[in-house]
Amino acid sequence: MTRAVDHYFELLSADLLPSDAFCLTAVRGLTVDEALERFDGYPGWASATVAELGERAVAVYPDELPAVVADEVDGWVLLAENNGWHGAKDSVLRRLSHGTVVASAFWNVNRDSAISLARDGEVLAAFDFVIGRDKPAALVPYLDGLDFTDAYRSTAEALAFVEGVSGVRLTAQWAEGSHPASVVGDLWRFRQSDPVGWLDLTAPDLASAATTIAPAEVRSVAERAVSLTAAGVETGGMSLEQAYRRVLELRWDRGRPPDRTRDPVALLQEEVLRRRTEPVRERQAETAAHVIAARIALREREPVVALAGAMYNACQADRARWPALLAEVRGWPEFGATPGRDRH
């Protein structure tokens, strides 16, 4: 393993791989298209280098343009994220590993970290190699010579772990080469894990009042709030997946690296024009996506969850209008109910 660690330490030191924040995932036996689909990507999207992903993300804002490059090497597909972490998520590891094996290594600038192993839809183990002490038994066979005690080499050791599982080396040529690339269409930003908790933090009076009125009235409030949010917003009959893909398309285009062979003044003028016009289209597309998500939230079984999910997406749809919407909802008769009113 020492040679593998030395190899990855050289790639990271030379900035051929992102040293501050990176995620490498390896899956056995899938095609590139299959791997991208399981990874919430879109086959046939584009081609790019790992470095280009970073350039595009920085031009937009890293969290707003999640992306991955993927290519097959000796029967394994390597998926590399520059400043990403999708391949470290349990849900992704489970889906990606159905019928096969997956290994991943992840770290970021805050020193959050993980090496993970999944098989047949189950995450066998994950280990935080920065602060972790007891290595999970499932990982031990692949950790010979990897002790993660040297902070300067721990990320290289994490990549050596992925090589130890897969038997595949990520070379300098692969690191610098162009590969199939895709944005990552994960819909987590439209689905709060705890919408009621979010509402309780954001508008505790509404969250509290929603528990004192009849469920039918809570659902009515949610429906009216969504109606106000959707006023004047054209969604074109799109699904949430389609709407978010449009957002990502616009961001991908805006983040394209400049053609440095062209006249610098012309490039600067183009960039100013892009920054004035393209974000407007992105905001419109994102507003439409959140309106669709707010309507989906209304299907929640529990009225309070429906209200919270709808209000969360209403807030994200148009933050400038959010205070006015909140004030209007607070003034509706349903929230004039006295505590203890029949909730059934």
Side-chain angles (χ1 to χ4, degrees):
M1 277 288 192
T2 302
R3 289 184 180 178
V5 176
D6 290 342
H7 168 76
Y8 291 114
F9 186 74
E10 289 179 9
L11 293 188
L12 293 165
S13 299
D15 288 327
L16 294 180
L17 291 175
S19 57
D20 288 336
F22 187 53
C23 186
L24 178 68
T25 308
V27 57
R28 184 179 66 194
L30 301 183
T31 67
V32 172
D33 285 357
E34 287 170 338
L36 283 173
E37 286 179 346
R38 292 190 186 190
F39 206 80
D40 296 313
Y42 306 101
W45 180 277
S47 294
T49 64
V50 175
E52 183 183 329
L53 292 192
E55 286 186 72
R56 286 182 181 268
V58 168
V60 176
Y61 189 77
D63 290 352
E64 300 299 323
L65 189 63
V68 63
V69 299
D71 222 338
E72 189 271 338
V73 181
D74 295 336
W76 289 72
V77 175
L78 301 181
L79 300 111
E81 302 171 77
N82 189 334
N83 196 31
W85 61 89
H86 201 58
K89 295 180 179 178
D90 280 1
S91 59
V92 176
L93 291 167
R94 287 194 295 268
R95 184 169 62 249
L96 195 59
S97 70
H98 274 300
T100 186
V101 178
V102 173
S104 78
F106 153 75
W107 68 87
N108 66 18
V109 71
N110 297 321
R111 301 301 284 170
D112 296 323
S113 74
I115 54 173
S116 305
L117 180 67
R119 182 182 293 119
D120 292 327
E122 178 187 358
V123 178
L124 301 181
F127 175 67
D128 184 327
F129 60 82
V130 171
I131 63 172
R133 292 294 176 265
D134 298 325
K135 300 178 180 67
L139 301 185
V140 169
Y142 309 102
L143 298 180
D144 185 30
L146 306 179
D147 56 22
F148 299 103
T149 57
D150 185 341
Y152 293 101
R153 291 170 65 86
S154 62
T155 53
E157 289 180 294
L159 297 178
F161 159 76
V162 176
E163 178 177 321
V165 174
S166 65
V168 171
R169 175 158 294 184
L170 193 164
T171 64
Q173 182 179 9
W174 198 99
E176 294 183 289
S178 184
H179 306 281
S182 174
V183 291
V184 176
D186 184 4
L187 299 176
W188 67 268
R189 66 193 64 238
F190 301 97
R191 299 169 180 165
Q192 267 282 324
S193 58
D194 180 12
V196 176
W198 176 88
L199 186 63
D200 193 40
L201 285 172
T202 308
D205 55 326
L206 291 187
S208 176
T211 66
T212 69
I213 62 177
E217 291 179 325
V218 175
R219 196 170 292 281
S220 174
V221 167
E223 291 169 351
R224 287 158 61 197
V226 170
S227 180
L228 281 176
T229 303
V233 178
E234 179 56 55
T235 58
M238 291 185 293
S239 67
L240 179 55
E241 290 79 6
Q242 291 169 328
Y244 185 44
R245 175 168 179 160
R246 179 57 181 154
V247 174
L248 293 173
E249 285 173 349
L250 291 167
R251 288 181 181 155
W252 178 265
D253 290 344
R254 180 162 64 91
R256 64 186 178 275
D259 180 354
R260 294 182 175 87
T261 65
R262 295 182 53 205
D263 175 58
V265 175
L267 282 175
L268 180 60
Q269 290 172 336
E270 262 186 30
E271 181 63 19
V272 170
L273 180 62
R274 283 167 59 188
R275 291 189 178 276
R276 286 178 178 172
T277 58
E278 293 186 14
V280 173
R281 292 196 291 270
E282 285 175 34
R283 284 194 293 271
Q284 291 171 339
E286 191 169 18
T287 293
H290 279 291
V291 165
I292 294 168
R295 289 171 175 160
I296 292 172
L298 295 178
R299 304 173 192 167
E300 291 286 348
R301 218 167 145 186
E302 294 294 328
V304 175
V305 177
L307 173 65
M311 294 296 282
Y312 165 75
N313 279 287
C315 175
Q316 303 305 314
D318 192 339
R319 297 193 183 190
R321 288 178 54 195
W322 169 246
L325 174 65
L326 201 52
E328 183 157 354
V329 172
R330 282 176 169 142
W332 287 345
E334 288 89 345
F335 292 124
T338 56
R341 181 176 172 178
D342 183 7
R343 294 161 54 186
H344 305 284

PDB file of all heavy atoms in Angstrom, residues 280-304:
ATOM      1  N   VAL A 280     -30.656  35.824 -13.799  1.00  0.00           N
ATOM      2  CA  VAL A 280     -32.090  36.106 -13.784  1.00  0.00           C
ATOM      3  C   VAL A 280     -32.863  34.887 -14.271  1.00  0.00           C
ATOM      4  O   VAL A 280     -33.857  34.467 -13.669  1.00  0.00           O
ATOM      5  CB  VAL A 280     -32.414  37.343 -14.646  1.00  0.00           C
ATOM      6  CG1 VAL A 280     -33.923  37.534 -14.759  1.00  0.00           C
ATOM      7  CG2 VAL A 280     -31.763  38.585 -14.052  1.00  0.00           C
ATOM      8  N   ARG A 281     -32.402  34.293 -15.373  1.00  0.00           N
ATOM      9  CA  ARG A 281     -33.072  33.091 -15.896  1.00  0.00           C
ATOM     10  C   ARG A 281     -32.969  31.939 -14.904  1.00  0.00           C
ATOM     11  O   ARG A 281     -33.910  31.160 -14.752  1.00  0.00           O
ATOM     12  CB  ARG A 281     -32.473  32.705 -17.252  1.00  0.00           C
ATOM     13  CG  ARG A 281     -32.776  33.701 -18.365  1.00  0.00           C
ATOM     14  CD  ARG A 281     -32.516  33.096 -19.726  1.00  0.00           C
ATOM     15  NE  ARG A 281     -31.095  32.887 -19.958  1.00  0.00           N
ATOM     16  CZ  ARG A 281     -30.281  33.780 -20.517  1.00  0.00           C
ATOM     17  NH1 ARG A 281     -30.761  34.962 -20.874  1.00  0.00           N
ATOM     18  NH2 ARG A 281     -29.012  33.516 -20.712  1.00  0.00           N
ATOM     19  N   GLU A 282     -31.821  31.832 -14.250  1.00  0.00           N
ATOM     20  CA  GLU A 282     -31.657  30.780 -13.250  1.00  0.00           C
ATOM     21  C   GLU A 282     -32.654  30.951 -12.110  1.00  0.00           C
ATOM     22  O   GLU A 282     -33.267  29.983 -11.658  1.00  0.00           O
ATOM     23  CB  GLU A 282     -30.247  30.817 -12.675  1.00  0.00           C
ATOM     24  CG  GLU A 282     -29.184  30.261 -13.596  1.00  0.00           C
ATOM     25  CD  GLU A 282     -27.803  30.453 -12.994  1.00  0.00           C
ATOM     26  OE1 GLU A 282     -27.692  30.382 -11.751  1.00  0.00           O
ATOM     27  OE2 GLU A 282     -26.854  30.683 -13.752  1.00  0.00           O
ATOM     28  N   ARG A 283     -32.804  32.179 -11.623  1.00  0.00           N
ATOM     29  CA  ARG A 283     -33.730  32.424 -10.520  1.00  0.00           C
ATOM     30  C   ARG A 283     -35.163  32.107 -10.929  1.00  0.00           C
ATOM     31  O   ARG A 283     -35.936  31.555 -10.145  1.00  0.00           O
ATOM     32  CB  ARG A 283     -33.614  33.875 -10.036  1.00  0.00           C
ATOM     33  CG  ARG A 283     -32.366  34.136  -9.202  1.00  0.00           C
ATOM     34  CD  ARG A 283     -32.459  35.459  -8.469  1.00  0.00           C
ATOM     35  NE  ARG A 283     -32.446  36.591  -9.385  1.00  0.00           N
ATOM     36  CZ  ARG A 283     -31.349  37.196  -9.812  1.00  0.00           C
ATOM     37  NH1 ARG A 283     -30.163  36.768  -9.403  1.00  0.00           N
ATOM     38  NH2 ARG A 283     -31.413  38.222 -10.624  1.00  0.00           N
ATOM     39  N   GLN A 284     -35.509  32.449 -12.154  1.00  0.00           N
ATOM     40  CA  GLN A 284     -36.851  32.128 -12.635  1.00  0.00           C
ATOM     41  C   GLN A 284     -37.057  30.619 -12.685  1.00  0.00           C
ATOM     42  O   GLN A 284     -38.110  30.108 -12.286  1.00  0.00           O
ATOM     43  CB  GLN A 284     -37.062  32.744 -14.018  1.00  0.00           C
ATOM     44  CG  GLN A 284     -37.150  34.263 -14.003  1.00  0.00           C
ATOM     45  CD  GLN A 284     -37.144  34.869 -15.405  1.00  0.00           C
ATOM     46  OE1 GLN A 284     -36.707  34.232 -16.375  1.00  0.00           O
ATOM     47  NE2 GLN A 284     -37.631  36.093 -15.522  1.00  0.00           N
ATOM     48  N   ALA A 285     -36.046  29.909 -13.173  1.00  0.00           N
ATOM     49  CA  ALA A 285     -36.143  28.450 -13.259  1.00  0.00           C
ATOM     50  C   ALA A 285     -36.196  27.823 -11.872  1.00  0.00           C
ATOM     51  O   ALA A 285     -36.958  26.875 -11.626  1.00  0.00           O
ATOM     52  CB  ALA A 285     -34.949  27.893 -14.048  1.00  0.00           C
ATOM     53  N   GLU A 286     -35.403  28.367 -10.948  1.00  0.00           N
ATOM     54  CA  GLU A 286     -35.401  27.819  -9.598  1.00  0.00           C
ATOM     55  C   GLU A 286     -36.714  28.109  -8.883  1.00  0.00           C
ATOM     56  O   GLU A 286     -37.234  27.276  -8.136  1.00  0.00           O
ATOM     57  CB  GLU A 286     -34.232  28.382  -8.798  1.00  0.00           C
ATOM     58  CG  GLU A 286     -34.017  27.655  -7.491  1.00  0.00           C
ATOM     59  CD  GLU A 286     -32.716  28.014  -6.828  1.00  0.00           C
ATOM     60  OE1 GLU A 286     -32.128  29.059  -7.177  1.00  0.00           O
ATOM     61  OE2 GLU A 286     -32.278  27.246  -5.964  1.00  0.00           O
ATOM     62  N   THR A 287     -37.275  29.299  -9.117  1.00  0.00           N
ATOM     63  CA  THR A 287     -38.576  29.620  -8.540  1.00  0.00           C
ATOM     64  C   THR A 287     -39.626  28.627  -9.008  1.00  0.00           C
ATOM     65  O   THR A 287     -40.432  28.113  -8.219  1.00  0.00           O
ATOM     66  CB  THR A 287     -39.002  31.053  -8.931  1.00  0.00           C
ATOM     67  OG1 THR A 287     -38.115  31.983  -8.309  1.00  0.00           O
ATOM     68  CG2 THR A 287     -40.424  31.353  -8.482  1.00  0.00           C
ATOM     69  N   ALA A 288     -39.621  28.329 -10.317  1.00  0.00           N
ATOM     70  CA  ALA A 288     -40.576  27.362 -10.861  1.00  0.00           C
ATOM     71  C   ALA A 288     -40.405  25.998 -10.208  1.00  0.00           C
ATOM     72  O   ALA A 288     -41.390  25.323  -9.867  1.00  0.00           O
ATOM     73  CB  ALA A 288     -40.400  27.254 -12.375  1.00  0.00           C
ATOM     74  N   ALA A 289     -39.147  25.583  -9.991  1.00  0.00           N
ATOM     75  CA  ALA A 289     -38.899  24.277  -9.368  1.00  0.00           C
ATOM     76  C   ALA A 289     -39.438  24.240  -7.945  1.00  0.00           C
ATOM     77  O   ALA A 289     -40.048  23.250  -7.518  1.00  0.00           O
ATOM     78  CB  ALA A 289     -37.399  23.976  -9.389  1.00  0.00           C
ATOM     79  N   HIS A 290     -39.242  25.310  -7.195  1.00  0.00           N
ATOM     80  CA  HIS A 290     -39.732  25.325  -5.807  1.00  0.00           C
ATOM     81  C   HIS A 290     -41.262  25.418  -5.749  1.00  0.00           C
ATOM     82  O   HIS A 290     -41.874  24.888  -4.815  1.00  0.00           O
ATOM     83  CB  HIS A 290     -39.088  26.466  -5.033  1.00  0.00           C
ATOM     84  CG  HIS A 290     -37.709  26.137  -4.533  1.00  0.00           C
ATOM     85  ND1 HIS A 290     -37.493  25.204  -3.541  1.00  0.00           N
ATOM     86  CD2 HIS A 290     -36.486  26.595  -4.897  1.00  0.00           C
ATOM     87  CE1 HIS A 290     -36.194  25.106  -3.309  1.00  0.00           C
ATOM     88  NE2 HIS A 290     -35.561  25.936  -4.110  1.00  0.00           N
ATOM     89  N   VAL A 291     -41.871  26.065  -6.718  1.00  0.00           N
ATOM     90  CA  VAL A 291     -43.339  26.084  -6.767  1.00  0.00           C
ATOM     91  C   VAL A 291     -43.861  24.662  -6.993  1.00  0.00           C
ATOM     92  O   VAL A 291     -44.826  24.221  -6.340  1.00  0.00           O
ATOM     93  CB  VAL A 291     -43.835  27.031  -7.875  1.00  0.00           C
ATOM     94  CG1 VAL A 291     -45.314  26.782  -8.184  1.00  0.00           C
ATOM     95  CG2 VAL A 291     -43.627  28.484  -7.449  1.00  0.00           C
ATOM     96  N   ILE A 292     -43.226  23.933  -7.904  1.00  0.00           N
ATOM     97  CA  ILE A 292     -43.618  22.539  -8.140  1.00  0.00           C
ATOM     98  C   ILE A 292     -43.435  21.715  -6.866  1.00  0.00           C
ATOM     99  O   ILE A 292     -44.298  20.910  -6.492  1.00  0.00           O
ATOM    100  CB  ILE A 292     -42.798  21.943  -9.303  1.00  0.00           C
ATOM    101  CG1 ILE A 292     -43.146  22.654 -10.614  1.00  0.00           C
ATOM    102  CG2 ILE A 292     -43.039  20.439  -9.428  1.00  0.00           C
ATOM    103  CD1 ILE A 292     -42.187  22.339 -11.753  1.00  0.00           C
ATOM    104  N   ALA A 293     -42.312  21.927  -6.183  1.00  0.00           N
ATOM    105  CA  ALA A 293     -42.046  21.188  -4.941  1.00  0.00           C
ATOM    106  C   ALA A 293     -43.058  21.549  -3.855  1.00  0.00           C
ATOM    107  O   ALA A 293     -43.465  20.690  -3.064  1.00  0.00           O
ATOM    108  CB  ALA A 293     -40.629  21.476  -4.456  1.00  0.00           C
ATOM    109  N   ALA A 294     -43.480  22.811  -3.806  1.00  0.00           N
ATOM    110  CA  ALA A 294     -44.491  23.222  -2.820  1.00  0.00           C
ATOM    111  C   ALA A 294     -45.811  22.505  -3.084  1.00  0.00           C
ATOM    112  O   ALA A 294     -46.503  22.073  -2.151  1.00  0.00           O
ATOM    113  CB  ALA A 294     -44.685  24.733  -2.874  1.00  0.00           C
ATOM    114  N   ARG A 295     -46.167  22.382  -4.355  1.00  0.00           N
ATOM    115  CA  ARG A 295     -47.401  21.655  -4.700  1.00  0.00           C
ATOM    116  C   ARG A 295     -47.287  20.182  -4.324  1.00  0.00           C
ATOM    117  O   ARG A 295     -48.259  19.569  -3.869  1.00  0.00           O
ATOM    118  CB  ARG A 295     -47.676  21.807  -6.197  1.00  0.00           C
ATOM    119  CG  ARG A 295     -48.121  23.216  -6.608  1.00  0.00           C
ATOM    120  CD  ARG A 295     -48.160  23.374  -8.106  1.00  0.00           C
ATOM    121  NE  ARG A 295     -48.700  24.670  -8.499  1.00  0.00           N
ATOM    122  CZ  ARG A 295     -48.509  25.227  -9.685  1.00  0.00           C
ATOM    123  NH1 ARG A 295     -47.779  24.593 -10.610  1.00  0.00           N
ATOM    124  NH2 ARG A 295     -49.033  26.412  -9.960  1.00  0.00           N
ATOM    125  N   ILE A 296     -46.105  19.608  -4.519  1.00  0.00           N
ATOM    126  CA  ILE A 296     -45.896  18.209  -4.139  1.00  0.00           C
ATOM    127  C   ILE A 296     -46.034  18.044  -2.628  1.00  0.00           C
ATOM    128  O   ILE A 296     -46.586  17.051  -2.139  1.00  0.00           O
ATOM    129  CB  ILE A 296     -44.508  17.733  -4.623  1.00  0.00           C
ATOM    130  CG1 ILE A 296     -44.488  17.657  -6.156  1.00  0.00           C
ATOM    131  CG2 ILE A 296     -44.147  16.376  -4.010  1.00  0.00           C
ATOM    132  CD1 ILE A 296     -43.106  17.383  -6.738  1.00  0.00           C
ATOM    133  N   ALA A 297     -45.561  19.031  -1.880  1.00  0.00           N
ATOM    134  CA  ALA A 297     -45.640  18.965  -0.415  1.00  0.00           C
ATOM    135  C   ALA A 297     -47.081  18.869   0.072  1.00  0.00           C
ATOM    136  O   ALA A 297     -47.355  18.292   1.128  1.00  0.00           O
ATOM    137  CB  ALA A 297     -44.954  20.182   0.203  1.00  0.00           C
ATOM    138  N   LEU A 298     -48.008  19.425  -0.695  1.00  0.00           N
ATOM    139  CA  LEU A 298     -49.421  19.372  -0.301  1.00  0.00           C
ATOM    140  C   LEU A 298     -49.952  17.941  -0.249  1.00  0.00           C
ATOM    141  O   LEU A 298     -50.994  17.692   0.358  1.00  0.00           O
ATOM    142  CB  LEU A 298     -50.270  20.192  -1.273  1.00  0.00           C
ATOM    143  CG  LEU A 298     -50.015  21.707  -1.285  1.00  0.00           C
ATOM    144  CD1 LEU A 298     -50.890  22.378  -2.341  1.00  0.00           C
ATOM    145  CD2 LEU A 298     -50.271  22.313   0.088  1.00  0.00           C
ATOM    146  N   ARG A 299     -49.258  17.001  -0.881  1.00  0.00           N
ATOM    147  CA  ARG A 299     -49.716  15.606  -0.894  1.00  0.00           C
ATOM    148  C   ARG A 299     -49.359  14.870   0.407  1.00  0.00           C
ATOM    149  O   ARG A 299     -49.749  13.713   0.585  1.00  0.00           O
ATOM    150  CB  ARG A 299     -49.075  14.862  -2.073  1.00  0.00           C
ATOM    151  CG  ARG A 299     -49.336  15.502  -3.429  1.00  0.00           C
ATOM    152  CD  ARG A 299     -48.518  14.784  -4.497  1.00  0.00           C
ATOM    153  NE  ARG A 299     -48.504  15.497  -5.758  1.00  0.00           N
ATOM    154  CZ  ARG A 299     -47.667  15.222  -6.761  1.00  0.00           C
ATOM    155  NH1 ARG A 299     -46.794  14.230  -6.628  1.00  0.00           N
ATOM    156  NH2 ARG A 299     -47.698  15.929  -7.874  1.00  0.00           N
ATOM    157  N   GLU A 300     -48.565  15.530   1.257  1.00  0.00           N
ATOM    158  CA  GLU A 300     -48.173  14.869   2.501  1.00  0.00           C
ATOM    159  C   GLU A 300     -49.405  14.456   3.298  1.00  0.00           C
ATOM    160  O   GLU A 300     -50.403  15.157   3.350  1.00  0.00           O
ATOM    161  CB  GLU A 300     -47.307  15.807   3.351  1.00  0.00           C
ATOM    162  CG  GLU A 300     -45.932  16.084   2.784  1.00  0.00           C
ATOM    163  CD  GLU A 300     -44.992  14.901   2.934  1.00  0.00           C
ATOM    164  OE1 GLU A 300     -45.335  13.946   3.669  1.00  0.00           O
ATOM    165  OE2 GLU A 300     -43.913  14.930   2.310  1.00  0.00           O
ATOM    166  N   ARG A 301     -49.289  13.311   3.932  1.00  0.00           N
ATOM    167  CA  ARG A 301     -50.425  12.767   4.669  1.00  0.00           C
ATOM    168  C   ARG A 301     -50.799  13.620   5.866  1.00  0.00           C
ATOM    169  O   ARG A 301     -51.966  13.853   6.145  1.00  0.00           O
ATOM    170  CB  ARG A 301     -50.032  11.364   5.159  1.00  0.00           C
ATOM    171  CG  ARG A 301     -51.145  10.388   5.093  1.00  0.00           C
ATOM    172  CD  ARG A 301     -50.611   8.993   5.281  1.00  0.00           C
ATOM    173  NE  ARG A 301     -51.583   8.241   6.002  1.00  0.00           N
ATOM    174  CZ  ARG A 301     -51.401   7.019   6.429  1.00  0.00           C
ATOM    175  NH1 ARG A 301     -50.247   6.436   6.243  1.00  0.00           N
ATOM    176  NH2 ARG A 301     -52.355   6.401   7.036  1.00  0.00           N
ATOM    177  N   GLU A 302     -49.785  14.077   6.595  1.00  0.00           N
ATOM    178  CA  GLU A 302     -50.018  14.888   7.779  1.00  0.00           C
ATOM    179  C   GLU A 302     -50.148  16.357   7.379  1.00  0.00           C
ATOM    180  O   GLU A 302     -49.222  16.910   6.777  1.00  0.00           O
ATOM    181  CB  GLU A 302     -48.863  14.728   8.780  1.00  0.00           C
ATOM    182  CG  GLU A 302     -48.750  13.348   9.378  1.00  0.00           C
ATOM    183  CD  GLU A 302     -49.939  13.021  10.262  1.00  0.00           C
ATOM    184  OE1 GLU A 302     -50.499  13.940  10.884  1.00  0.00           O
ATOM    185  OE2 GLU A 302     -50.323  11.836  10.314  1.00  0.00           O
ATOM    186  N   PRO A 303     -51.260  17.004   7.703  1.00  0.00           N
ATOM    187  CA  PRO A 303     -51.449  18.398   7.288  1.00  0.00           C
ATOM    188  C   PRO A 303     -50.344  19.341   7.761  1.00  0.00           C
ATOM    189  O   PRO A 303     -49.945  20.242   7.017  1.00  0.00           O
ATOM    190  CB  PRO A 303     -52.798  18.761   7.919  1.00  0.00           C
ATOM    191  CG  PRO A 303     -53.526  17.468   8.042  1.00  0.00           C
ATOM    192  CD  PRO A 303     -52.467  16.458   8.355  1.00  0.00           C
ATOM    193  N   VAL A 304     -49.848  19.162   8.977  1.00  0.00           N
ATOM    194  CA  VAL A 304     -48.795  20.047   9.477  1.00  0.00           C
ATOM    195  C   VAL A 304     -47.510  19.863   8.665  1.00  0.00           C
ATOM    196  O   VAL A 304     -46.808  20.837   8.372  1.00  0.00           O
ATOM    197  CB  VAL A 304     -48.534  19.792  10.974  1.00  0.00           C
ATOM    198  CG1 VAL A 304     -47.348  20.617  11.462  1.00  0.00           C
ATOM    199  CG2 VAL A 304     -49.770  20.133  11.796  1.00  0.00           C
TER     200      VAL A 304
END
